[in-house]
Amino acid sequence: MFTGIIEELGEITAIAPAGDGWRLTVRAPRAAADAVHGESIAVSGVCLTVVGSTSDTFDTDVMKQTLDVAAIGSVTVGTRVNIEKAMPVGARLGGHIVQGHVDGVGEVLEVRPGAKWSVLRISLPDDLAPLVVDKGSISVDGTSLTVSAVSPSTSSGTETGGPSTSSGAGAEGSGHWFEVSLIPETLTATTLGSRVVGDRVNLETDILARHVERLLAFRATSEGGSR
């Protein structure tokens, strides 16, 4: 279990085939210093298991399914990644409950810089759209963030929420989207500060929203079958 509070910026230093998956070596001195075999570390929002470590690196295996469904499948040697170690029992929950189980991948549609902050607009897969609400929590590349705007439930991708000072192409035609507003600390302490239009990011929705959706689906099925 994680909180979405990034502890360190790491770097992929090696990628080796491991069956139909990969073995990654990640340079992250703070996390590696006391890493033990079998513990969990979130790498840009993906919960991975430590299989070896040195004083400043750790190794982890990534299975094919994870490579297929998460943006981690596009990393290369030199890619910077967000690092968070599992939350110890009794610690403060500084962000929100993050499992490290990626629900889907979004694409950065707009980057709107402010004087000291920045707003990112990110595409949202259709199946995740009902789980994301204005002022709710979402994990983007493992970073706990508050949703600052969200597309209408009937969004067709033609509404962009007003004039844009995008650093690239706008959100037209993208379907559902959400926005997050990044403070200076987030811009410097995570990889989100260097994101540009077209970048793919890992998304994990709020687990409470997922549970509610599942309960409602069962209720609808039950009511439909009892008629």
Side-chain angles (χ1 to χ4, degrees), residues 119-194:
V119 175
L120 298 187
R121 177 172 290 191
I122 300 170
S123 68
L124 192 58
D126 290 346
D127 60 327
L128 301 185
L131 306 177
V132 180
V133 299
D134 189 26
K135 305 303 185 290
S137 296
I138 192 167
S139 169
V140 179
D141 276 349
T143 306
S144 174
L145 298 169
T146 299
V147 177
S148 57
V150 67
S151 59
S153 60
T154 57
S155 175
S156 62
T158 58
E159 301 179 55
T160 61
S164 169
T165 56
S166 170
S167 63
E172 288 81 5
S174 63
H176 293 287
W177 51 262
F178 69 96
E179 292 183 351
V180 288
S181 300
L182 309 180
I183 63 174
E185 174 65 16
T186 305
L187 292 172
T188 58
T190 77
T191 60
L192 298 180
S194 60

Side-chain angles (χ1 to χ4, degrees), residues 14 37 69-70 82 85 88 97 103 105 112 140 147 162 166 183 196:
H37 186 94
V69 303
N82 295 324
K85 301 191 75 173
I97 296 174
D103 293 321
V105 174
R112 301 202 302 273
V140 179
V147 177
S166 170
I183 63 174
V196 297

Side-chain angles (χ1 to χ4, degrees), residues 2-223:
F2 307 92
T3 71
I5 303 301
I6 303 305
E7 301 172 343
E8 181 178 13
L9 280 174
E11 180 183 344
I12 305 296
T13 60
I15 302 174
D20 60 356
W22 289 352
R23 173 161 291 189
L24 297 181
T25 300
V26 183
R27 184 182 181 277
R30 185 180 302 175
D34 59 354
V36 296
H37 186 94
E39 76 167 290
S40 296
I41 296 180
V43 178
S44 286
V46 181
C47 178
L48 298 175
T49 300
V50 175
V51 296
S53 63
T54 67
S55 61
D56 65 349
T57 68
F58 65 88
D59 296 329
T60 184
D61 291 329
V62 187
M63 60 183 176
K64 183 179 184 300
Q65 180 186 10
T66 303
L67 295 173
D68 290 341
V69 303
I72 198 169
S74 60
V75 301
T76 59
V77 172
T79 296
R80 299 173 74 201
V81 288
N82 295 324
I83 300 294
E84 182 189 359
K85 301 191 75 173
M87 179 179 67
V89 174
R92 284 192 176 97
L93 184 60
H96 72 283
I97 296 174
V98 177
Q99 294 181 296
H101 302 158
V102 174
D103 293 321
V105 174
E107 180 180 325
V108 177
L109 302 174
E110 293 183 67
V111 180
R112 301 202 302 273
K116 292 186 178 180
W117 47 274
S118 186
V119 175
L120 298 187
R121 177 172 290 191
I122 300 170
S123 68
L124 192 58
D126 290 346
D127 60 327
L128 301 185
L131 306 177
V132 180
V133 299
D134 189 26
K135 305 303 185 290
S137 296
I138 192 167
S139 169
V140 179
D141 276 349
T143 306
S144 174
L145 298 169
T146 299
V147 177
S148 57
V150 67
S151 59
S153 60
T154 57
S155 175
S156 62
T158 58
E159 301 179 55
T160 61
S164 169
T165 56
S166 170
S167 63
E172 288 81 5
S174 63
H176 293 287
W177 51 262
F178 69 96
E179 292 183 351
V180 288
S181 300
L182 309 180
I183 63 174
E185 174 65 16
T186 305
L187 292 172
T188 58
T190 77
T191 60
L192 298 180
S194 60
R195 288 302 187 188
V196 297
V197 171
D199 281 354
R200 300 169 73 241
V201 291
N202 293 318
L203 304 178
E204 181 183 334
T205 58
D206 191 338
I207 186 174
L208 297 180
R210 298 202 302 273
H211 276 300
V212 170
E213 181 189 49
R214 182 68 167 165
L215 287 169
L216 291 175
F218 270 103
R219 174 174 290 183
T221 300
S222 176
E223 290 176 350

